[in-house]
Structure formats: structure tokens, C-alpha cells
Amino acid sequence: MESGSGLDPNSSSKSKGGGGNGEGKFGAFMKRVEPFLPRKDLNPIELRSWAKKTGFVSDYSGETSTKFGESSSFDLPKGRDHHQIEQVTSRQTDLDPILDRSSRRSDIGSDSGSKPGSVEEERGSNRNEMENEGGKSSRDLENGCYYPGGGEGEGEGWPKPIVMKYGLRDNPTGFGALIYYGLQHYLSLAGSLVFIPLVIVPAMDGSDKDTAAVISTMLLLTGITTILHCYFGTRLPLVQGSSFVYLAPALVVINSEEFRNLTEHKFRYIMRELQGAIIVGSLFQCILGSTGLMSLLLRFINPVVVAPTVAAVGLAFFNYGFPQAGTCVEISIPVIVLLLICTLYLRGVSLFGHRIFRIYAVPLSALIVWTYAFFLTVGGAYDYRGCNADIPSSNILINECKKHAYTMKHCRTDASNAWTTSPWLRIPYPFQWGFPNFHIRTCIIMIFVSLVASVDSVGTYHATSMLVNAKRPTRGIVSRGVALEGFCSLLAGIWGSGTGSTTLTENIHTINITKVASRRALAIGALFLIFFSFVGKLGAILASIPQALAASVLCFTWALTVALGLSNLRYTQTASFRNITIVGVSLFLGLSIPAYFQQYQPLSTLILPSYYLSFSAASSGPFQTGIMQLDFAMNAVMSMNMVVTFLLAFVLDNTVPGTKEERGVYMWSRAEDMEMDPAMQADYFLPSRVAQFFRCSCC
């Protein structure tokens, strides 16, 4: 070691002749680095114990982590001399204090026999090693992209980053690869994109042709809104589409007492009612994002609020899920079993280098069981003597067929006549169901729902930015994304999809599996979705899916939504009694309070199926002031699980004291950081010609 380094323990005697001030500083420095100095009584057992305390050795396996080095110096061989030990410790103390903990770990874990180089050489080697091995850059460490346990199927050791095959600005080589990687996002989200119309249109007494038309409309809007968000929203690789957040309020409006006695044009009348409410709710969301109010609200929205709110969105449909799927158990149970086998037991199986069972679990399972249901239908499993396969009108008039009509309707694959009634070419157009109806009661409901949708999106933005190893967006960018989501919901209200548009939370799971976050690939897939929306027969094929099969897939999708919502708690101190209490109370009362409102339905029990009863409380709930519009709105709002859960979690998290670390407060980037970081500008900045119109939202 060079004597001028100032780290040689013998050099302290040489410096005694210097000034007292220098001696004091040098003495303080020696105290600071004393734990790294060699000791005459060096004991490997003590070093191993020290390594465990500082996290360099796994507490579970007892093995030294070799994440950044292939050998360790903690298990010192007996024949190692003190000179070699001094080299290791001297190299450790030679590190610049500003280097992060991972770089120190790399030096300590390296071979002690190697020649010590300069500080700059060691820094460069460490950085090159992190960047070359799977894209592990210092930016990943800064943004917290290291997840406990590393990659799936990996051994124990220092956590590994999520490595993307294609990042935000990466483009797969070849047009074929762009199409493949783009479409796989939408195929993996088939449960969210296709099956919502199979729930709401039959509830509105719509025909099979209406169901096909709504499916085509949703495909068109999903393609348009996804492209808009990729280039003018947050610019994160997120699919925009019909969200389950809007499904519960839609069912509340559909099952209200006002529409139960309608016989003619019931579908169109209810759809126009939903359109008007969605338009008003979307305008509120646009104002929330574009005026900067969302930036203020972000200070009060944290993982402890987001987690139970998103989980309640999935839990809201437990009364609908299996009761509807159970109408044909010979179809529903195989679907659920196949979904679990593909996503859990076959998740590590790769075919042609792709984990198709995890990526395409929903379409594969649905297609297999759909084929199985077709053979059951052709084989006569649902043929009853004297009963016509024309479902259900011809069977209601015959007493012997009444008990079989329900089963035939939900189980037969030929019960739909959408194929014969739908045209080959159909272009969805604005106000295709008529001009929207605007009523105060339904507009109030959608305003609350749009607020919940914004909260859902905040958690999705944060989780996605961490997943794709990008810097966290600024509050202004989040507000810009929420404002654009409001505009996308406005388009959904104008076109008449029955639900609003928002970021699909399930897309996080898709990106995590596929490791593809390319904006261009997502946009190419969206263009194909727009093209498919013009093919009327495609919507007809999807509309002919048996309702029991659709409900079975949704059982899995809603369960995944619950899990993704609760996964936001990983940013908090999950063992904190404060957080446990807030989440538990919010979820329980978020289910129990709506159950109290839902029990006031004496007439509904005689008219509606059991799985719709929980959505009929608005017409006869306990909130009675004599103002019919207000009574309906408040009973509807308090009967929705996600709204009650959000209000409870929001109030408790922002009134109960807790540290930022305990609450897991979302950390957003500052506008000044963005102006100085070219990489961040490339990730989030709007196209140059558009940015001048949105300067306020970028601040």
C-alpha cells in the first residue's frame, strides 16, 4: 500500500508532526474506518457474525451472497496470511463514501488475491459489471427496482432486478416481432376486454346482436385510448380499456326500479342513461387532472389507501361470480381448474422460449373449455324432449321446459344467434344508441366512481414505473395521465360502451410476465384491435361465449384484481399495527356497510336473480330524505364496496399518525429533476409539437 494513501494504520505516527487541526481530522477519519482495519486476533467466525448482522449473509441459508462476486472473503481459509487480509480490508476502506452499498458488497465479496487497483478503476469495473449483467444499472438501484428474492426460480442471494426484454423506448426487431409482442398484451387481458359486455348487455335485456356491437365498440375504444395514453398520457406501456371499476355502478343503474318494468327498447334506454352519467363523471376526472387538483390530492393518496380500494373492486363481485358460473358447473369448474393449473403449476414451463401458459392462461383455458362445451352441445347433453334449442322464448311457454330453459341458455354454445344477425362489416360510431340522458342521481354516482378510478390509476402508474426500471413520474405527469383517462372515458360515453375507460390494473401482471414494455409494440397491437373492431362477425363469435364460461373466467380475473391491489402494501411496513388495522377495518366495513344498505330490497327478491340483488339497493335503501334523486344517489354510493372502502382508508390513513416509511408514501420525481435528466425526458415528455399545449401539466 502506498504510504500517501492515508489508510495505512502505521501512517498515523508519521502525521503527528502536522498541525493539530489536520491531526484531529485524521483521527476522526481513522475512527470512522476502524471496523475495516485488519486485526491481529482476526477470527473468521466473528467476521461471519458481522456479515449476518449487516445483511451480507442470508439469515435462512447461512450462505454468503455472491450476487456481485463469485467468491466471498468471509469464510477465510486457515492458511491465509495477514498480508492478504490487509489487502482486502484496505481495498474496502479505499472506496469513496458516496458509493452505494451494492458497490461495497462487490469489493468485499471479490477474490482477495486480486491486485488492488485505483479507486476509479474499481468504480468503473463495478458499474460495468452492473450494467452488462442483465441491464443492472445504478439507476435500477436508485429507483428501488430490486425486489426481494430476485427472479422466479432463482436461488437465494442479493435481490436481482426485473430485467425487461424491451424497455419503454426499445423496439423489437422486425415487424412480425412488433405484432407478436403487441398482441400478447391484449390476449392476456381478454377477461377484462371482452367479458364485461357479456355481463352488462344481458342484464339490460339486450339481444345477441347488441352484445356483439358493444364488444366491437369496446375493442375500438381500447385501441384508440391505449394509443392516446402511450403518446399523450403518462407514456407508460399501459392498456386503457373498460374497467371493472365502472361495472358495479353500471349494474346498480341497470337494476334500479325505474328500468325493471320496461319491455320495449330497454337496452337502448339504459345505455343512454349510462352514457350521460359516464360523460359527466369523465368531465369531472378531466378537471381533476388538468387543473392541478390531482397534484394536491396525490399528497394524500398512498399505498395504504390504494391497496384496499383496488382489492374492494374485485371483492365487489363475489355475489355475482360463482352464483352465475354455477348455473353450468360442468363448464365453470373445468375453466377455473385450467386457469389455476396454467398460472400456478405450469408457470415455469416454456415452449419455444415463451411461458405461454402464464401469458395466455385466460384465452387458452377459455378456448379449451369452449370446445368442450361445443361437443357437449352437439352430443345432446342439453337436449330435452319437447324443448326447442331456440333459447329462451320458445321454452318459457311449455311447463316441462321451464326448468331446463335456464340451463340451456347458459350452457349451450348455439344459444346465441349473433352470427346470423351481425354483419361482416360494422363501424361503431358516436351516439349509436341515441343521444345520452342526463340525470343528477346517476351523474353523482359516476363522479364518485371516477375518483376511485383515479386512485386505482395512481397505484398502477407507480408500480409500472418501478417495474420497467424508469424514474418515477412527477406529480404533473400523473395529473396529465388522469386528465387523459377522463378524456378516454368521455369517448367511451360518446360511443356508448356501457362503462368508462381507465388503466387496466391487470396489465402490470402482463408486463411482469412478458418482460415487454415497448410503447411501439403496444401501439401496433392497438392498431390491430381497431381493425378487428370493424369485423362484425368477430364480435358475434365472442358474443356467443356461454355466460357460465364468461363468469368463470371473471372469477379468476376478479381474484387477480384483489391480489394486485393488496400487493401495493409491499411499499409499506406491512407488519405495522397501524397499517394492518387501517387495511383490515377499511376492507371489512367496506363489505359490511354496503351489505347493510343492500338488505333493503323487499320487492327486488321477487323479480331479480340472486346475483343481481346486491346491486338493487339504490331504489329502496335506508337513506330517505324525500328527495328522490339524492336518495337514489346516496343509497347507490353507500352500497358500492369500493367507494366505502376508499372513503374509510382515505380518512384513516391521513388522520392516524405514522412515519413516511411506515405509510409507504409514494415518492414522485420533481420537475427540476426531469429537466436535468435526458433519460427521464425521453420516457415521459410529450412529442415536441404537442408539449407546447400542455406545458402546465408537465410542471
Side-chain angles (χ1 to χ4, degrees):
M1 175 175 291
E2 298 179 5
S3 59
S5 64
L7 296 177
D8 190 346
N10 297 325
S11 64
S12 60
S13 60
K14 300 178 183 180
S15 62
K16 288 182 179 180
N21 188 24
E23 181 178 357
K25 291 183 178 179
F26 185 80
F29 179 76
M30 289 302 298
K31 291 180 181 180
R32 179 160 56 98
V33 302
E34 184 178 357
F36 297 95
L37 295 179
R39 294 167 48 188
K40 300 298 183 181
D41 56 342
L42 183 65
N43 188 348
I45 298 179
E46 292 184 5
L47 277 177
R48 190 176 184 86
S49 175
W50 170 81
K52 282 187 176 182
K53 293 179 181 178
T54 53
F56 290 92
V57 177
S58 172
D59 292 334
Y60 303 99
S61 64
E63 297 294 333
T64 304
S65 171
T66 58
K67 169 66 184 162
F68 296 101
E70 297 184 1
S71 63
S72 174
S73 61
F74 293 125
D75 294 332
L76 300 175
K78 295 181 180 179
R80 181 170 293 180
D81 57 17
H82 293 294
H83 177 68
Q84 291 176 321
I85 298 173
E86 182 178 351
Q87 284 184 345
V88 176
T89 54
S90 298
R91 290 179 61 207
Q92 171 62 30
T93 56
D94 214 12
L95 290 173
D96 195 303
I98 66 171
L99 289 181
D100 54 17
R101 186 177 181 181
S102 62
S103 299
R104 293 196 194 107
R105 184 169 304 182
S106 174
D107 279 284
I108 294 177
S110 61
D111 189 356
S112 62
S114 61
K115 296 181 180 181
S118 64
V119 177
E120 286 73 14
E121 291 175 350
E122 290 178 345
R123 287 189 206 167
S125 62
N126 290 333
R127 290 171 182 167
N128 291 335
E129 181 181 357
M130 294 174 64
E131 293 176 357
N132 293 335
E133 293 185 8
K136 309 175 185 68
S137 63
S138 59
R139 188 177 68 173
D140 300 333
L141 287 171
E142 180 183 350
N143 287 277
C145 295
Y146 283 89
Y147 295 96
E152 186 176 350
E154 301 290 341
E156 296 181 8
W158 181 250
K160 301 176 67 176
I162 301 293
V163 180
M164 291 286 113
K165 289 181 181 178
Y166 298 101
L168 280 173
R169 289 167 281 134
D170 297 335
N171 297 318
T173 56
F175 192 67
L178 275 173
I179 296 175
Y180 170 75
Y181 287 119
L183 288 179
Q184 71 179 358
H185 277 275
Y186 304 96
L187 287 174
S188 60
L189 296 172
S192 302
L193 297 178
V194 175
F195 291 155
I196 289 181
L198 298 178
V199 175
I200 62 174
V201 177
M204 292 187 283
D205 286 348
S207 64
D208 298 324
K209 183 180 178 180
D210 295 330
T211 304
V214 173
I215 290 176
S216 297
T217 303
M218 284 192 172
L219 294 179
L220 173 66
L221 290 171
T222 299
I224 294 175
T225 55
T226 300
I227 292 175
L228 288 176
H229 190 84
C230 284
Y231 291 99
F232 306 109
T234 62
R235 308 202 69 190
L236 290 170
L238 294 170
V239 175
Q240 305 291 304
S242 296
S243 173
F244 295 122
V245 176
Y246 290 90
L247 180 56
L251 291 175
V252 168
V253 175
I254 292 169
N255 291 285
S256 61
E257 189 174 355
E258 178 184 351
F259 304 123
R260 292 175 193 168
N261 297 325
L262 291 179
T263 55
E264 296 183 1
H265 307 294
K266 180 178 179 179
F267 166 77
R268 287 180 175 270
Y269 193 86
I270 297 177
M271 182 62 79
R272 292 200 298 267
E273 185 77 19
L274 290 174
Q275 285 183 258
I278 292 171
I279 289 174
V280 173
S282 63
L283 291 176
F284 170 80
Q285 195 172 11
C286 287
I287 295 173
L288 188 68
S290 59
T291 60
L293 291 176
M294 193 64 201
S295 297
L296 299 177
L297 190 60
L298 286 175
R299 304 178 186 274
F300 307 100
I301 298 177
N302 297 305
V304 180
V305 178
V306 174
T309 302
V310 179
V313 172
L315 291 174
F317 304 103
F318 74 93
N319 281 331
Y320 178 91
F322 200 79
Q324 175 72 295
T327 57
C328 193
V329 293
E330 61 269 26
I331 293 178
S332 59
I333 292 180
V335 172
I336 296 174
V337 171
L338 270 177
L339 284 169
L340 294 177
I341 290 175
C342 290
T343 54
L344 297 179
Y345 298 100
L346 300 179
R347 57 180 176 168
V349 178
S350 297
L351 294 178
F352 307 106
H354 302 281
R355 296 185 177 181
I356 63 172
F357 294 106
R358 291 186 65 187
I359 300 174
Y360 308 116
V362 170
L364 276 177
S365 302
L367 183 60
I368 292 173
V369 177
W370 196 4
T371 306
Y372 163 68
F374 171 77
F375 283 111
L376 286 179
T377 302
V378 174
Y382 306 114
D383 291 338
Y384 302 98
R385 182 177 300 177
C387 301
N388 195 331
D390 184 15
I391 308 299
S393 57
S394 61
N395 297 305
I396 299 299
L397 303 178
I398 305 174
N399 292 331
E400 295 181 358
C401 296
K402 286 183 178 179
K403 59 182 179 181
H404 302 304
Y406 199 68
T407 300
M408 296 173 72
K409 177 181 179 181
H410 289 80
C411 301
R412 293 186 69 98
T413 57
D414 60 354
S416 173
N417 60 355
W419 178 263
T420 59
T421 57
S422 298
W424 277 101
L425 177 64
R426 184 185 185 277
I427 300 178
Y429 55 92
F431 306 118
Q432 55 189 328
W433 315 116
F435 192 78
N437 295 326
F438 297 92
H439 291 95
I440 296 178
R441 57 180 188 175
T442 52
C443 293
I444 293 176
I445 296 173
M446 286 303 174
I447 288 175
F448 276 96
V449 173
S450 63
L451 182 60
V452 174
S454 302
V455 173
D456 184 6
S457 298
V458 168
T460 306
Y461 295 162
H462 185 273
T464 306
S465 65
M466 300 279 285
L467 184 61
V468 301
N469 299 336
K471 292 287 185 68
R472 302 177 184 90
T474 64
R475 286 189 173 92
I477 294 171
V478 175
S479 298
R480 189 178 75 201
V482 170
L484 187 69
E485 284 192 14
F487 178 74
C488 294
S489 290
L490 179 64
L491 297 180
I494 293 173
W495 257 265
S497 63
T499 60
S501 178
T502 187
T503 300
L504 298 182
T505 307
E506 306 92 299
N507 197 40
I508 300 177
H509 179 65
T510 305
I511 296 175
N512 190 24
I513 296 174
T514 62
K515 303 298 185 293
V516 175
S518 171
R519 276 196 294 254
R520 180 172 296 181
L522 204 66
I524 293 294
L527 290 176
F528 273 88
L529 225 61
I530 295 173
F531 170 76
F532 292 146
S533 68
F534 300 151
V535 183
K537 293 297 184 183
L538 177 62
I541 293 174
L542 297 174
S544 63
I545 297 176
Q547 293 184 20
L549 191 153
S552 303
V553 173
L554 289 175
C555 285
F556 174 81
T557 307
W558 287 328
L560 184 62
T561 302
V562 175
L564 289 172
L566 293 177
S567 67
N568 283 276
L569 292 175
R570 69 183 181 272
Y571 303 116
T572 70
Q573 294 180 1
T574 53
S576 167
F577 180 76
R578 172 194 182 276
N579 295 344
I580 292 174
T581 304
I582 292 175
V583 174
V585 169
S586 300
L587 272 178
F588 180 81
L589 293 181
L591 296 175
S592 188
I593 292 177
Y596 167 74
F597 280 78
Q598 293 164 8
Q599 68 182 345
Y600 290 88
Q601 46 195 359
L603 299 178
S604 303
T605 56
L606 304 176
I607 302 173
L608 298 175
S610 60
Y611 45 80
Y612 286 141
L613 291 178
S614 58
F615 304 105
S616 62
S619 299
S620 55
F623 192 92
Q624 299 293 335
T625 62
I627 306 175
M628 295 182 60
Q629 298 283 339
L630 180 62
D631 293 344
F632 183 92
M634 294 308 300
N635 285 318
V637 167
M638 296 305 295
S639 66
M640 289 187 287
N641 307 84
M642 55 185 177
V643 176
V644 178
T645 302
F646 164 70
L647 293 176
L648 289 170
F650 182 84
V651 172
L652 290 175
D653 184 55
N654 288 284
T655 55
V656 178
T659 63
K660 289 186 176 181
E661 293 78 10
E662 184 180 18
R663 300 171 62 193
V665 174
Y666 285 138
M667 302 301 294
W668 307 105
S669 298
R670 297 178 302 173
E672 309 86 69
D673 298 335
M674 186 172 182
E675 293 176 357
M676 300 175 61
D677 190 344
M680 190 175 179
Q681 293 180 15
D683 286 341
Y684 295 112
F685 256 25
L686 293 173
S688 56
R689 294 184 179 181
V690 182
Q692 56 183 343
F693 297 103
F694 296 94
R695 292 186 184 277
C696 294
S697 62
C698 294
C699 298

